[in-house]
Amino acid sequence: METALRVGILGGSGYTGVELLRILATHPQAEVAAVTSRKAAGQPVADMFPSLRGWVDLDFADPDPGYLAEQCDVVFCGVPHGVAMHQVPALLERGVRVVDLSADFRIADRTTYERWYNETHAAPEWLERAVYGLPEVNAEPIRGARLVANPGCYPTAVQLAFLPLLEAGAVDPEGLVADAKSGASGAGREAKTHLLLAEAADSMSAYGVAGHRHLPEIEQGMTRAAAGPVEVTFVPHLAPMIRGIHADCYSRLQDPEMDVQGLFEERFKNSPFVDVMPSGSHPATRTVRGSNLCRLAVHQPKGGKQLVVLSVIDNLVKGAAGQAVQNMNLMAGLPEATGLNVPPMLP
Amino acid sequence: METALRVGILGGSGYTGVELLRILATHPQAEVAAVTSRKAAGQPVADMFPSLRGWVDLDFADPDPGYLAEQCDVVFCGVPHGVAMHQVPALLERGVRVVDLSADFRIADRTTYERWYNETHAAPEWLERAVYGLPEVNAEPIRGARLVANPGCYPTAVQLAFLPLLEAGAVDPEGLVADAKSGASGAGREAKTHLLLAEAADSMSAYGVAGHRHLPEIEQGMTRAAAGPVEVTFVPHLAPMIRGIHADCYSRLQDPEMDVQGLFEERFKNSPFVDVMPSGSHPATRTVRGSNLCRLAVHQPKGGKQLVVLSVIDNLVKGAAGQAVQNMNLMAGLPEATGLNVPPMLP
Amino acid sequence: METALRVGILGGSGYTGVELLRILATHPQAEVAAVTSRKAAGQPVADMFPSLRGWVDLDFADPDPGYLAEQCDVVFCGVPHGVAMHQVPALLERGVRVVDLSADFRIADRTTYERWYNETHAAPEWLERAVYGLPEVNAEPIRGARLVANPGCYPTAVQLAFLPLLEAGAVDPEGLVADAKSGASGAGREAKTHLLLAEAADSMSAYGVAGHRHLPEIEQGMTRAAAGPVEVTFVPHLAPMIRGIHADCYSRLQDPEMDVQGLFEERFKNSPFVDVMPSGSHPATRTVRGSNLCRLAVHQPKGGKQLVVLSVIDNLVKGAAGQAVQNMNLMAGLPEATGLNVPPMLP
Amino acid sequence: METALRVGILGGSGYTGVELLRILATHPQAEVAAVTSRKAAGQPVADMFPSLRGWVDLDFADPDPGYLAEQCDVVFCGVPHGVAMHQVPALLERGVRVVDLSADFRIADRTTYERWYNETHAAPEWLERAVYGLPEVNAEPIRGARLVANPGCYPTAVQLAFLPLLEAGAVDPEGLVADAKSGASGAGREAKTHLLLAEAADSMSAYGVAGHRHLPEIEQGMTRAAAGPVEVTFVPHLAPMIRGIHADCYSRLQDPEMDVQGLFEERFKNSPFVDVMPSGSHPATRTVRGSNLCRLAVHQPKGGKQLVVLSVIDNLVKGAAGQAVQNMNLMAGLPEATGLNVPPMLP
């Protein structure tokens, strides 16, 4: 490989950062040139993440756009929403292509964004030009994008389960339910009481039933797929595990006789990271642990109208860093799966 | 206390057994007179369950109905379904009252039982006389019962969430969904590969979507409550925790304006073990760990037709041993909560 | 009960607080009159700890010593070290008896305290009068104490394993090793990154090998027991569990022929909360979960000089709140085990 | 790569099997030609291990030595001890080279083997010719070996921590202590009650203190290193996690002034999978999760005679399958780290 892609990570001290570094460490066409962290600037990355000792020799750098633009062809943005929209434009303007893992460019409708995130959008001009980075839907636009908005973890798991049905008009667009369970890493690496092991282990609870910030993102994707309004209830849960999302997606078939399994297999036949399992399977999150796969299984209890699609991903891989690298591959004209072909870790 | 209730446990080597022993150890009106186990007969109970060292001095006895009838006023039956129906009648015939924790007497309709459990029922005459032991529904019949069929863990959590709605005709009886997550102890103490820590920890999966044996029990209870047919989809999950069930119960309100919170509060105002939390709460399973409580929380996202009721119990207490003791209290004319008034253990 | 002990908790928003409330909820001779929290003043206790809904109706109060002295006969002090020494004297001066769960009054030697805790001691006059609250050693002084310094969790587990040996001069006082593993609740309820479930689950690590603050407390107790200097290496570990300490205590017997098992049984024959298990047992922490027991097992591999004593406690009960209540019982002239006679919760 | 190594797995239905398959899936010079399982013959490997869907297309084959010899250049033997010694010779005699992951060829002294494993050794002639597969000690003999006995998981972690000290005569060979904590996968995939999640989670316990089968293997390696007798106490623990071993290795320095850190760095300067961390580090098992690394950290509390070496590995990688592949690489003349250069997975 002569000309590796020079990659930067803006805001690399969270789980997104360490997971990007893990994945990129064995990516044959990419080389990490810079990792920034305002708080940890000057500290060796491997001191914060000792798993990377021997893999990453960099120190955290200051988040300077000029420096990043000089060092990098592509930058993954791992800073929180509300911060990303202030920092990403400076990179784009310098010609760097960006995959933003925050929520700031996911919601195309500025008003919706501002209502849910309670902030004035600082870069509405880029909002319009951002491409929503779900490769199973948007591969072509992603290839040419300057700014890709990497989907949220829940929205990835939920959309992949519903899209074939909505695109085909196969289900009632009302009364859709997504009951999703996530490991604690999905909530990030910031210290919060309710995420302590002593609080979150050996317990399960729902949260945000009245309205989680991933809901408008889910609604946007599903509305586009349905080419019309959908009504979806989204109930996220904190599950006592580190990684993994298990989404149970409920809908009502228009025609109980339709071949749903065939619909799914056809829809994803060219998607290297979507595994449509045999009908009646029960995918466990551990079967995708550490990998970029989404495994789906379709159930139609008693052959009736009620459909249940089970969807599992690793929230840090297909739900974040892996999908981001998948997007980077597309943007760089590489095969979609480059550097992502590693089997899940079980047990 | 002059005349403590003499209690026996038929089949005490499983989680039901150890949990009954834990609860009964501090019950002021009951005394455990015998614990049986075919395999472990002769072995001290505290050798198998060292947590009980200093609390239980008994050895496991052979499961002899004559002996049990002599020693006990009430027997908890903890043997598996398919075995219970062969052993319970001999106790009943000797005048012992029985709380059966197996599934053998839960399904009133013999044909339904035989289809789901794939066995000819050995005691159909007692099937008719068994009282379904959900005290929040059947307190009066339980008081007079000779045989109480203690509900399953999932059916307890799910029914308490749906009953007020169905009794009041408040929701569409079609398209009901119960998405339930259970800790591994719900699957019992028998060694099975998929329940190993190395298999079940840090992972989540659904199972039995095509038809779990708790489904007909749920349908029976809900049909009775609705006084008409219901269609319910039940999706159980194995969650990486020891105890606890978190059931998310989805239904469609007939009238989005109705006061659902008030309906629940009214329905359970006399139920000492049902805690209707403030609307919008998110009960965690750990808030009922070790206790006989069911905590419920009602959600109506965006004030629409979709209703979400969250229901949490400890599967070994309200879902098994605690509810069994609650039933025993009723049968013995004791206050319902005797010996069950202990706070949950958190963290 | 006519005259229940009126109990207060100063600093009740941590794990010590919620565990004291859980235990006291069923204590037949005590009644919680006040729980304070500077940050949460005015908030219902049951909002912070929903497990206590239905058990505790109090709101958190301001930590006012006058108010506490008026309401309470005894106060448990649950504020952190460095704070306790500033707040406890005001209570003592008002005639309230105090069980302090912080480290501030555990180390009798002021210089040692100040070196390890890096603070000038604010109440050295009380340091001298404080009684170290390990009832298995100090029951008599505790009965008459105005201020009891409740031992640390590690020191409790480690001392109970070593004391019989040191008191009897049975082992070499050099080269003692305590390898101790603790659940995450031992580190408290404050949000810290390394205690997040996503950090601490499914992993094990040592910490503080160069010097943990519990070391001088352990050395103090062991020096007293040995009536001479001891050299002990203490290696604490964070284990991926909520509760429990498992301490492996290594020493070299002076005489491999001595009856160590007999020594332990004799030493603890009157200690209701120390269970000397049969020689060769392997106590698991879950066999004491939620209870005030310390289970000990003696091992002498190959009958040689090397001795291994295994010691397990629940860090929040015998290692904190339970032992504090045990101390309160002694101070109040109640039977030592009042309100603490509950079996452990297994599974 | 023209001529990939054709690899077989004899007994591939356990954790050793699935982990070998995971590692070999991305090994650039090896190709899995056959995986056997007596019980699961005919079943697709990916049905038992759905994590491998898309990676392994083989069905389990019957364990026929002729077939294996025909298909494979090297065979990993994953059947249990007592079985391996009956099946391995047939492969060796057919010219296949074998890495045996069972204990059958680890103990050079037949009498010792037979006493600890309670079996007559069926292939003593191969016992003599087997090379103990710890590459950090035996790289040269491994290169030429026909049969490599892959070390146990505990012995790997413990020996790497003690070897530099014993080889250099730096510590007292008496009174050595290895206090080791293992995740549940170390006990294998067979269903056993005490390994159930509901039994083993949220708890810690020691086992086998009187004598674990890894002890003679540890003693053998340490005696060789010390060139004289050693006395070591080995206390294994079951920790509530899936993967990982954390071994705390205690010894007494002959000379507290010696440069122990330098000794370790020098000893392992050419070992690609041993990471000597800066003195005073606290390696967590998660920092090696999924990787072939052993991370070591040296501690000398208060600069005294007592030495503590912390050693962490992933029991399924460096403690089993990874080390086996490392051995295969050496046997095949490949660079030692081929196919093993993947960063650990954290969180």
Side-chain angles (χ1 to χ4, degrees):
Chain A
M1 183 187 60
E2 221 167 322
T3 53
L5 215 55
R6 297 173 308 149
V7 174
I9 302 175
L10 177 71
S13 65
Y15 290 141
T16 298
V18 64
E19 190 69 353
L20 281 166
L21 289 166
R22 180 179 78 86
I23 293 169
L24 293 168
T26 56
H27 193 290
Q29 312 274 349
E31 193 178 312
V32 178
V35 187
T36 78
S37 166
R38 195 177 298 278
K39 281 191 212 158
Q43 184 184 338
V45 170
D47 278 11
M48 183 178 288
F49 300 122
S51 58
L52 297 175
R53 267 178 64 91
W55 293 97
V56 176
D57 283 332
L58 298 164
D59 294 350
F60 285 110
D62 268 316
D64 174 49
Y67 175 77
L68 281 171
E70 196 179 288
Q71 300 294 316
C72 308
D73 305 309
V74 184
V75 166
F76 295 101
C77 176
V79 302
H81 67 82
V83 179
M85 61 187 178
H86 290 284
Q87 303 194 345
V88 161
L91 294 167
L92 293 166
E93 286 154 14
R94 283 168 175 79
V96 182
R97 297 171 81 182
V98 173
V99 180
D100 177 29
L101 289 92
S102 88
D104 280 355
F105 299 95
R106 291 178 191 157
I107 310 289
D109 183 68
R110 178 181 172 174
T111 315
T112 303
Y113 175 88
E114 295 185 342
R115 188 171 66 242
W116 281 89
Y117 288 86
N118 213 15
E119 310 221 32
T120 303
H121 204 290
E125 70 284 13
W126 283 105
L127 203 50
E128 286 160 26
R129 299 162 70 181
V131 175
Y132 186 69
L134 193 59
E136 289 74 15
V137 173
N138 278 343
E140 269 318 299
I142 291 166
R143 282 195 180 89
R146 289 176 62 188
L147 169 58
V148 167
N150 210 56
C153 49
Y154 285 125
T156 297
V158 171
Q159 287 179 86
L160 291 174
F162 276 126
L163 291 190
L165 300 166
L166 294 171
E167 289 167 357
V171 295
D172 187 340
E174 277 214 334
L176 303 168
V177 170
D179 185 294
K181 302 88 178 159
S182 173
S185 65
R189 195 169 165 265
E190 211 186 316
K192 292 179 188 163
T193 299
H194 75 285
L195 299 174
L196 293 176
L197 184 145
E199 299 283 311
D202 213 54
S203 188
M204 169 96 45
S205 64
Y207 62 99
V209 181
H212 184 281
R213 281 169 170 173
H214 282 175
L215 178 57
E217 182 183 344
I218 291 170
E219 287 176 331
Q220 167 183 280
M222 288 172 60
T223 303
R224 286 174 184 168
V230 300
E231 181 224 33
V232 56
T233 299
F234 170 53
V235 181
H237 299 74
L238 180 60
M241 56 192 191
I242 299 174
R243 287 170 181 247
I245 285 180
H246 189 294
D248 297 57
C249 298
Y250 299 93
S251 58
R252 307 284 290 177
L253 283 170
Q254 305 285 16
D255 171 14
E257 304 302 320
M258 93 167 290
D259 175 14
V260 182
Q261 178 71 15
L263 176 72
F264 272 75
E265 289 177 1
E266 179 63 22
R267 175 62 178 82
F268 293 118
K269 68 182 173 190
N270 295 321
S271 298
F273 294 115
V274 180
D275 174 24
V276 180
M277 301 184 74
S279 176
S281 298
H282 296 102
T285 59
R286 67 191 195 123
T287 71
V288 298
R289 188 190 288 139
S291 94
N292 200 45
L293 285 167
C294 174
R295 299 201 200 267
L296 297 172
V298 169
H299 290 256
Q300 194 181 348
K302 300 181 187 172
K305 296 187 69 171
Q306 184 71 51
L307 194 72
V308 187
V309 183
L310 309 177
S311 172
V312 300
I313 62 168
D314 183 323
N315 57 298
L316 294 181
V317 191
K318 184 61 176 166
Q323 185 145 270
V325 171
Q326 188 180 354
N327 281 319
M328 178 198 79
N329 288 340
L330 290 169
M331 292 163 85
L334 296 169
E336 195 170 350
T338 309
L340 293 167
N341 266 327
V342 291
M345 194 172 89
L346 170 160
Chain B
M1 182 189 61
E2 219 167 324
T3 54
L5 215 53
R6 297 171 310 150
V7 174
I9 302 175
L10 177 72
S13 65
Y15 290 141
T16 298
V18 65
E19 190 69 354
L20 281 166
L21 289 166
R22 180 179 78 87
I23 293 169
L24 292 167
T26 55
H27 193 290
Q29 311 274 349
E31 191 179 314
V32 178
V35 187
T36 79
S37 166
R38 195 177 298 277
K39 282 190 211 158
Q43 184 184 337
V45 171
D47 278 11
M48 184 177 288
F49 299 121
S51 58
L52 297 174
R53 267 177 64 89
W55 294 97
V56 176
D57 283 332
L58 297 165
D59 294 350
F60 284 110
D62 268 317
D64 174 49
Y67 175 77
L68 281 171
E70 197 178 287
Q71 299 294 315
C72 309
D73 305 310
V74 184
V75 167
F76 294 101
C77 176
V79 302
H81 68 83
V83 179
M85 62 186 177
H86 290 285
Q87 303 194 343
V88 161
L91 293 168
L92 294 167
E93 286 154 15
R94 282 167 174 80
V96 181
R97 297 171 81 182
V98 173
V99 180
D100 178 29
L101 288 92
S102 89
D104 279 355
F105 299 95
R106 291 177 192 158
I107 310 290
D109 183 66
R110 179 181 171 173
T111 315
T112 303
Y113 175 88
E114 295 184 342
R115 190 172 65 243
W116 282 89
Y117 287 87
N118 214 14
E119 310 221 32
T120 304
H121 204 290
E125 70 283 13
W126 283 104
L127 203 50
E128 288 162 23
R129 299 161 71 181
V131 175
Y132 186 70
L134 193 59
E136 288 74 16
V137 173
N138 278 343
E140 268 317 299
I142 291 166
R143 283 195 179 88
R146 289 175 62 187
L147 169 58
V148 167
N150 210 58
C153 49
Y154 284 124
T156 297
V158 171
Q159 288 178 85
L160 292 174
F162 275 127
L163 293 189
L165 299 166
L166 295 171
E167 289 167 356
V171 294
D172 187 340
E174 277 212 336
L176 303 168
V177 170
D179 185 295
K181 303 88 179 158
S182 173
S185 65
R189 195 169 165 266
E190 211 186 316
K192 292 178 187 163
T193 300
H194 74 285
L195 299 175
L196 293 176
L197 184 145
E199 299 283 314
D202 213 53
S203 188
M204 168 96 46
S205 65
Y207 63 100
V209 181
H212 184 282
R213 280 169 170 172
H214 282 174
L215 178 58
E217 182 183 344
I218 291 169
E219 288 176 331
Q220 168 183 281
M222 287 171 60
T223 303
R224 287 174 184 167
V230 300
E231 183 223 32
V232 56
T233 299
F234 169 54
V235 180
H237 299 75
L238 179 60
M241 56 191 191
I242 300 174
R243 290 170 178 246
I245 286 180
H246 189 293
D248 296 57
C249 298
Y250 298 93
S251 58
R252 307 285 288 177
L253 283 171
Q254 305 285 16
D255 171 14
E257 304 301 320
M258 93 168 289
D259 175 14
V260 183
Q261 178 72 14
L263 176 72
F264 273 74
E265 289 178 359
E266 178 65 21
R267 175 60 179 82
F268 293 119
K269 69 182 172 192
N270 296 319
S271 298
F273 294 115
V274 180
D275 174 24
V276 179
M277 299 184 74
S279 178
S281 298
H282 295 103
T285 59
R286 67 191 194 121
T287 69
V288 297
R289 188 190 288 139
S291 94
N292 200 46
L293 286 167
C294 173
R295 299 202 201 265
L296 298 173
V298 170
H299 290 257
Q300 194 180 349
K302 299 180 188 173
K305 294 188 71 172
Q306 185 70 51
L307 195 71
V308 188
V309 183
L310 310 177
S311 172
V312 300
I313 61 168
D314 182 324
N315 56 298
L316 294 181
V317 190
K318 185 60 177 168
Q323 185 145 271
V325 171
Q326 188 181 355
N327 281 318
M328 179 198 78
N329 287 340
L330 290 169
M331 292 164 85
L334 296 169
E336 195 170 350
T338 310
L340 292 166
N341 266 327
V342 290
M345 194 172 89
L346 171 159
Chain C
M1 185 186 60
E2 218 166 326
T3 53
L5 214 54
R6 298 171 308 149
V7 174
I9 301 176
L10 176 72
S13 64
Y15 290 141
T16 298
V18 64
E19 190 69 353
L20 280 166
L21 290 166
R22 181 180 76 87
I23 292 170
L24 293 167
T26 57
H27 193 291
Q29 311 274 348
E31 193 179 313
V32 178
V35 188
T36 79
S37 166
R38 195 176 299 277
K39 282 191 214 158
Q43 185 184 336
V45 171
D47 277 11
M48 183 177 289
F49 300 121
S51 58
L52 297 174
R53 268 178 62 90
W55 294 96
V56 176
D57 283 333
L58 297 164
D59 293 351
F60 284 110
D62 267 316
D64 173 49
Y67 175 77
L68 281 171
E70 195 180 288
Q71 299 293 316
C72 308
D73 305 309
V74 185
V75 166
F76 294 101
C77 174
V79 301
H81 68 82
V83 179
M85 61 186 177
H86 290 286
Q87 303 194 344
V88 161
L91 294 168
L92 293 167
E93 286 154 15
R94 283 168 174 80
V96 181
R97 296 172 82 184
V98 173
V99 180
D100 177 29
L101 288 93
S102 88
D104 279 355
F105 299 95
R106 290 178 191 158
I107 310 289
D109 183 68
R110 178 179 171 176
T111 314
T112 304
Y113 175 88
E114 295 184 344
R115 190 172 64 243
W116 283 89
Y117 288 87
N118 215 15
E119 308 222 32
T120 303
H121 203 291
E125 69 284 11
W126 283 104
L127 201 51
E128 288 161 23
R129 298 162 72 180
V131 175
Y132 186 68
L134 193 59
E136 288 74 16
V137 173
N138 278 343
E140 270 317 301
I142 291 165
R143 283 195 179 89
R146 291 176 60 187
L147 168 59
V148 168
N150 209 57
C153 49
Y154 285 124
T156 297
V158 172
Q159 288 179 86
L160 292 174
F162 275 126
L163 292 190
L165 300 167
L166 295 171
E167 289 167 356
V171 295
D172 188 340
E174 277 214 332
L176 303 167
V177 170
D179 185 295
K181 303 89 179 157
S182 174
S185 66
R189 196 169 165 264
E190 209 185 316
K192 293 178 187 163
T193 300
H194 74 286
L195 300 174
L196 293 176
L197 185 143
E199 298 283 312
D202 212 52
S203 187
M204 167 95 47
S205 64
Y207 63 99
V209 181
H212 183 282
R213 281 167 171 174
H214 281 175
L215 178 57
E217 182 183 344
I218 291 170
E219 287 176 331
Q220 167 183 280
M222 287 172 61
T223 302
R224 286 174 183 165
V230 301
E231 183 224 32
V232 55
T233 300
F234 169 54
V235 181
H237 298 74
L238 179 60
M241 56 192 192
I242 300 174
R243 288 169 179 246
I245 285 181
H246 189 293
D248 296 56
C249 298
Y250 299 92
S251 57
R252 307 285 289 177
L253 282 171
Q254 304 285 15
D255 171 13
E257 304 302 319
M258 92 167 290
D259 175 14
V260 183
Q261 178 72 17
L263 177 71
F264 272 76
E265 290 179 358
E266 178 64 22
R267 175 62 179 81
F268 293 118
K269 69 182 174 191
N270 295 320
S271 298
F273 294 116
V274 181
D275 173 24
V276 179
M277 301 184 74
S279 177
S281 297
H282 296 104
T285 58
R286 67 192 193 120
T287 70
V288 298
R289 189 189 288 137
S291 94
N292 200 46
L293 286 167
C294 174
R295 298 203 202 263
L296 298 172
V298 170
H299 291 257
Q300 193 180 349
K302 301 182 187 171
K305 294 187 72 172
Q306 184 72 52
L307 195 72
V308 187
V309 183
L310 309 176
S311 172
V312 300
I313 61 168
D314 183 324
N315 57 297
L316 294 181
V317 191
K318 184 62 178 166
Q323 185 145 269
V325 171
Q326 188 181 355
N327 281 318
M328 178 198 80
N329 288 339
L330 289 169
M331 293 163 85
L334 296 169
E336 195 170 347
T338 309
L340 293 167
N341 267 326
V342 291
M345 193 171 90
L346 172 159
Chain D
M1 185 189 58
E2 217 167 326
T3 54
L5 214 55
R6 298 171 308 149
V7 174
I9 301 175
L10 176 71
S13 65
Y15 290 140
T16 298
V18 64
E19 190 69 352
L20 281 166
L21 290 166
R22 180 178 77 88
I23 293 170
L24 293 168
T26 56
H27 193 290
Q29 311 273 348
E31 191 179 312
V32 179
V35 188
T36 79
S37 166
R38 195 177 297 279
K39 281 190 213 158
Q43 185 184 336
V45 170
D47 277 12
M48 183 177 288
F49 300 120
S51 57
L52 297 174
R53 269 178 61 92
W55 295 95
V56 177
D57 282 332
L58 297 164
D59 294 351
F60 284 110
D62 267 315
D64 175 48
Y67 175 77
L68 281 171
E70 197 180 285
Q71 299 294 316
C72 308
D73 305 309
V74 185
V75 166
F76 294 101
C77 175
V79 302
H81 68 82
V83 179
M85 62 186 176
H86 290 285
Q87 304 193 343
V88 161
L91 294 168
L92 294 167
E93 286 154 15
R94 281 167 175 80
V96 180
R97 295 171 83 184
V98 173
V99 180
D100 178 28
L101 289 93
S102 89
D104 280 355
F105 299 95
R106 290 178 193 158
I107 311 288
D109 182 67
R110 178 180 171 176
T111 316
T112 303
Y113 175 88
E114 295 185 344
R115 191 171 63 241
W116 281 90
Y117 287 88
N118 215 15
E119 308 222 32
T120 303
H121 203 289
E125 71 283 11
W126 283 105
L127 201 51
E128 287 160 25
R129 298 162 71 182
V131 175
Y132 186 69
L134 192 60
E136 288 75 15
V137 173
N138 279 342
E140 268 317 300
I142 290 164
R143 283 196 178 87
R146 290 176 61 188
L147 170 57
V148 167
N150 209 58
C153 49
Y154 284 125
T156 297
V158 172
Q159 288 178 86
L160 292 174
F162 276 126
L163 291 189
L165 300 167
L166 295 171
E167 289 167 356
V171 295
D172 187 343
E174 278 214 333
L176 303 167
V177 169
D179 185 296
K181 303 89 180 158
S182 174
S185 65
R189 194 168 166 267
E190 210 186 314
K192 292 178 187 162
T193 300
H194 74 286
L195 299 175
L196 293 175
L197 185 143
E199 298 283 312
D202 213 52
S203 187
M204 167 94 47
S205 65
Y207 63 100
V209 181
H212 183 281
R213 281 168 171 173
H214 281 175
L215 177 57
E217 182 183 345
I218 291 170
E219 287 176 331
Q220 166 183 281
M222 288 172 61
T223 303
R224 286 175 184 167
V230 300
E231 184 224 30
V232 56
T233 299
F234 169 53
V235 180
H237 299 75
L238 179 60
M241 55 192 191
I242 299 174
R243 290 168 178 247
I245 286 182
H246 189 293
D248 296 56
C249 297
Y250 299 93
S251 57
R252 306 285 289 178
L253 282 171
Q254 304 286 14
D255 171 13
E257 304 302 320
M258 93 168 288
D259 175 15
V260 183
Q261 178 72 15
L263 177 72
F264 271 75
E265 290 178 359
E266 179 63 22
R267 175 60 179 83
F268 293 118
K269 68 182 173 190
N270 296 319
S271 298
F273 294 116
V274 180
D275 174 24
V276 179
M277 301 184 74
S279 177
S281 297
H282 296 102
T285 59
R286 67 190 194 122
T287 69
V288 298
R289 189 189 287 139
S291 95
N292 200 47
L293 286 168
C294 173
R295 298 201 202 265
L296 298 173
V298 170
H299 290 256
Q300 193 181 348
K302 300 182 189 172
K305 296 187 71 172
Q306 185 71 51
L307 195 72
V308 187
V309 183
L310 309 176
S311 173
V312 301
I313 61 168
D314 183 322
N315 56 297
L316 294 180
V317 192
K318 184 61 178 166
Q323 185 145 268
V325 171
Q326 189 180 355
N327 281 317
M328 179 197 78
N329 288 339
L330 289 170
M331 294 163 84
L334 296 169
E336 195 171 348
T338 310
L340 293 167
N341 266 329
V342 291
M345 194 172 91
L346 173 158

